[in-house]
Amino acid sequence: MLQRNPHVSQTHHDAVTMRELRTTLFFSVQDQVGALDECLHALKAADVSMTRIESRPSKVAERGYDFFVDIDARTKELVECVVEEIKRVKIVRDVRIVSSLGALESLGGGEGSQGLDQQVPWFPRKVSDLDTFAEKVLEMGEELSSDHPGAKDPVYRRRRMEIVQKAKEYRSGQPLPHIDYTEQEKDTWRQVYTRLRDMYPKYACREFLHVLPLLEQNCAYGPDNIPQIEDISRFLKDCTGFTLRPVMGLLTPRDFLNSLAFRVFHSTQYIRHHSDPYYTPEPDCCHELLGHVPLFADPNFAELTQEVGLASLGASDEDIEKLATIFWFTAEFGLCREDGSIRAYGAGLLSSFGELEYALTEVPTRLEFEPSKTVEQKYPITEYQPVYFVADSFRDATAKLREFNATMKRPFQVRYNPYTQSVDVLNSKDKVQHFARSISNEMQLLASALEHV
């Protein structure tokens, strides 16, 4: 779930500077007087500077707290020293390194390896690394702003907390959380589903219209049922290899985009407040399941979104901002040409009655999708977009995106390995040669197949 938060910097978790590399530590403490002071004293004893600290109710220490702490660490030895100092504090439980210099050092090695610049931010290497994002959210699902329709509804808030807790506890490899939706929640879904379903034939792109009936047949999509993400994830994996995982709330753009590299989409499971089913100030399951999910079953769209994700791995803060803007104007608010007309494929449009209709009028400005120009476009997050970008096709958009990604300053290339659900960093001669051999094998298979066509 990617949404800009006007009150939080989009690089909230990225404290990499020109001379220092962020290390994020996670630890839990029991709730007692002076607990945090003891931990901070341990950091001081290790002679490191703390740049950020976040706390959450603990799931490890009973009546305690979990902390994420960013420190400036220049060497692996210093990181290890800090960990040992914190472990000496008796009230501390479960000390872990979420990201560190050591993790980056492990990317190098091998014949002809050039290593990685130590300014490269940490990024996930395997799909299970996405578990580190589980509790690193800008806003949690039960934290509602004062103007949220459900802010003053204690029953709704408790329900949100119940659903968010399941997302917090989820880890890779486990069954996705099953939500027994209430009749009131189903009624809210019904109103949204019915109205949008009637609009789609007129406004949605053909790929979306092709997949939606398949979701109705295979994943119990319909006006009277809110589908379960476990069923949807299995369906998507069979189609394109994409899967879903639950999320507590808003992720940083970096974390959200990184997950797309593994063909993983973070989806909320809570639903908007019943008092206003046609409005939500944040992404909810209506937005995720009706707006985003259908096109993840389309191979060309799946390739486009994964391309954004792969480009985000180890990218600079500046490039993350550009990639997030590209995602905004494609996967969230993208338009495409189709048989001489303009159709919508962005989730922000396909889950919004008003903007879906508005975007295809003559009121907003429509520009050709060119990544180098798209990244310069500013946009509002609380009102209809004044500008939309139009792609000729998903394939064309992907080709343009790859050309743009080649201009980024990242000092290495990455390749997704679907067999291991991991990312290979092509930063050595050995790795590049291995990749070349795999391409050669694929070319031989292609040549053989063409002989039989």
Side-chain angles (χ1 to χ4, degrees):
M1 178 176 62
L2 174 65
Q3 177 171 312
R4 292 295 179 85
N5 185 326
H7 304 297
V8 184
S9 167
Q10 68 166 359
T11 54
H12 184 65
H13 293 297
D14 302 312
V16 178
T17 67
M18 295 300 291
R19 298 182 180 178
E20 300 167 334
L21 181 67
R22 177 201 73 179
T23 296
T24 302
L25 302 179
F26 168 90
F27 56 88
S28 301
V29 301
Q30 296 174 344
D31 186 14
Q32 67 181 57
V33 177
L36 181 58
D37 287 342
E38 290 189 48
C39 297
L40 296 180
H41 181 75
L43 293 175
K44 184 177 180 180
D47 194 27
V48 295
S49 299
M50 180 179 67
T51 60
R52 178 182 68 94
I53 184 168
E54 290 183 7
S55 63
R56 296 282 187 269
S58 179
K59 67 173 185 178
V60 177
E62 185 177 357
R63 294 187 299 276
Y65 297 92
D66 293 339
F67 288 92
F68 288 95
V69 178
D70 283 0
I71 59 174
D72 293 338
R74 298 175 180 81
T75 66
K76 182 178 180 180
E77 290 72 23
L78 183 55
V79 173
E80 293 173 345
C81 176
V82 173
V83 170
E84 290 304 314
E85 287 292 337
I86 295 178
K87 284 182 176 180
R88 291 193 180 99
V89 180
K90 295 182 180 180
I91 57 174
V92 169
R93 301 287 184 273
D94 191 26
V95 183
R96 285 184 275 137
I97 300 173
V98 176
S99 61
S100 70
L101 178 61
L104 284 179
E105 287 175 339
S106 69
L107 296 177
E111 182 185 350
S113 174
Q114 299 301 312
L116 290 182
D117 192 308
Q118 291 186 358
Q119 296 170 25
V120 175
W122 178 90
F123 58 89
R125 296 291 309 283
K126 53 187 183 296
V127 72
S128 60
D129 288 343
L130 302 184
D131 289 344
T132 63
F133 302 162
E135 300 173 53
K136 292 172 58 181
V137 292
L138 298 178
E139 288 183 1
M140 294 182 9
E142 74 270 21
E143 296 173 352
L144 306 183
S145 59
S146 60
D147 60 347
H148 191 286
K152 297 181 180 179
D153 184 343
V155 175
Y156 179 75
R157 293 177 69 94
R158 284 196 299 271
R159 176 62 169 164
R160 293 263 298 222
M161 185 175 295
E162 174 188 327
I163 294 174
V164 165
Q165 184 63 29
K166 292 186 177 184
K168 178 180 180 180
E169 295 171 355
Y170 174 79
R171 292 296 181 270
S172 295
Q174 298 175 351
L176 296 175
H178 181 95
I179 307 297
D180 291 319
Y181 289 102
T182 66
E183 289 304 315
Q184 187 175 69
E185 289 168 334
K186 291 179 182 178
D187 183 63
T188 300
W189 168 271
R190 181 181 302 110
Q191 295 180 66
V192 175
Y193 188 92
T194 302
R195 186 167 175 182
L196 284 172
R197 190 67 171 85
D198 290 341
M199 296 180 69
Y200 287 151
K202 183 178 180 181
Y203 298 103
C205 66
R206 67 164 61 93
E207 292 86 352
F208 184 94
L209 295 176
H210 173 71
V211 172
L212 188 57
L214 299 178
L215 289 167
E216 292 173 335
Q217 296 169 16
N218 294 279
C219 303
Y221 268 59
D224 300 318
N225 179 67
I226 304 177
Q228 298 293 330
I229 63 173
E230 176 71 42
D231 298 331
I232 299 168
S233 190
R234 284 199 298 265
F235 174 78
L236 293 179
K237 189 169 186 178
D238 287 344
C239 294
T240 62
F242 251 94
T243 58
L244 303 182
R245 68 172 292 156
V247 67
M248 295 170 63
L250 294 174
L251 293 172
T252 65
R254 180 181 294 279
D255 291 349
F256 177 83
L257 296 177
N258 280 182
S259 69
L260 296 176
F262 299 85
R263 298 207 170 196
V264 172
F265 178 73
H266 284 82
S267 175
T268 53
Q269 290 182 278
Y270 46 78
I271 197 166
R272 61 196 63 185
H273 194 259
H274 59 85
S275 66
D276 194 352
Y278 300 140
Y279 168 75
T280 177
E282 65 193 338
D284 69 338
C285 68
C286 295
H287 172 77
E288 318 284 34
L289 304 188
L290 292 175
H292 280 293
V293 160
L295 284 177
F296 285 128
D298 179 78
N300 294 321
F301 181 82
E303 187 175 2
L304 171 62
T305 50
Q306 186 182 30
E307 192 69 25
V308 178
L310 289 169
S312 76
L313 298 177
S316 67
D317 293 346
E318 178 184 359
D319 285 336
I320 286 293
E321 183 174 2
K322 291 178 180 179
L323 292 168
T325 301
I326 288 173
F327 187 88
W328 183 269
F329 283 114
T330 54
E332 289 290 354
F333 292 97
L335 299 176
C336 62
R337 292 187 179 84
E338 185 178 296
D339 299 330
S341 64
I342 302 296
R343 292 280 182 145
Y345 72 90
L349 300 175
L350 294 168
S351 61
S352 169
F353 328 103
E355 191 160 6
L356 179 56
E357 186 174 20
Y358 159 84
L360 297 177
T361 66
E362 298 303 318
V363 177
T365 300
R366 292 200 287 265
L367 303 175
E368 185 76 17
F369 175 66
E370 292 290 347
S372 61
K373 297 179 181 178
T374 302
V375 297
E376 302 297 331
Q377 180 65 46
K378 304 301 180 183
Y379 54 87
I381 61 174
T382 58
E383 58 190 59
Y384 291 171
Q385 301 300 303
V387 176
Y388 298 95
F389 287 86
V390 183
D392 286 335
S393 66
F394 296 147
R395 288 183 178 178
D396 181 69
T398 301
K400 290 180 177 179
L401 179 60
R402 284 178 176 152
E403 291 179 3
F404 174 79
N405 291 345
T407 67
M408 292 172 55
K409 301 175 183 178
R410 190 177 61 179
F412 58 92
Q413 291 296 329
V414 297
R415 169 178 176 261
Y416 178 65
N417 186 330
Y419 305 112
T420 60
Q421 292 185 291
S422 62
V423 169
D424 299 327
V425 180
L426 304 177
N427 65 325
S428 72
K429 184 178 179 181
D430 286 343
K431 293 177 181 179
V432 172
Q433 288 178 338
H434 179 76
F435 183 36
R437 285 193 295 269
S438 68
I439 294 176
S440 176
N441 293 337
E442 293 293 325
M443 292 301 295
Q444 290 178 15
L445 179 61
L446 176 61
S448 177
L450 289 174
E451 292 177 358
H452 295 84
V453 173

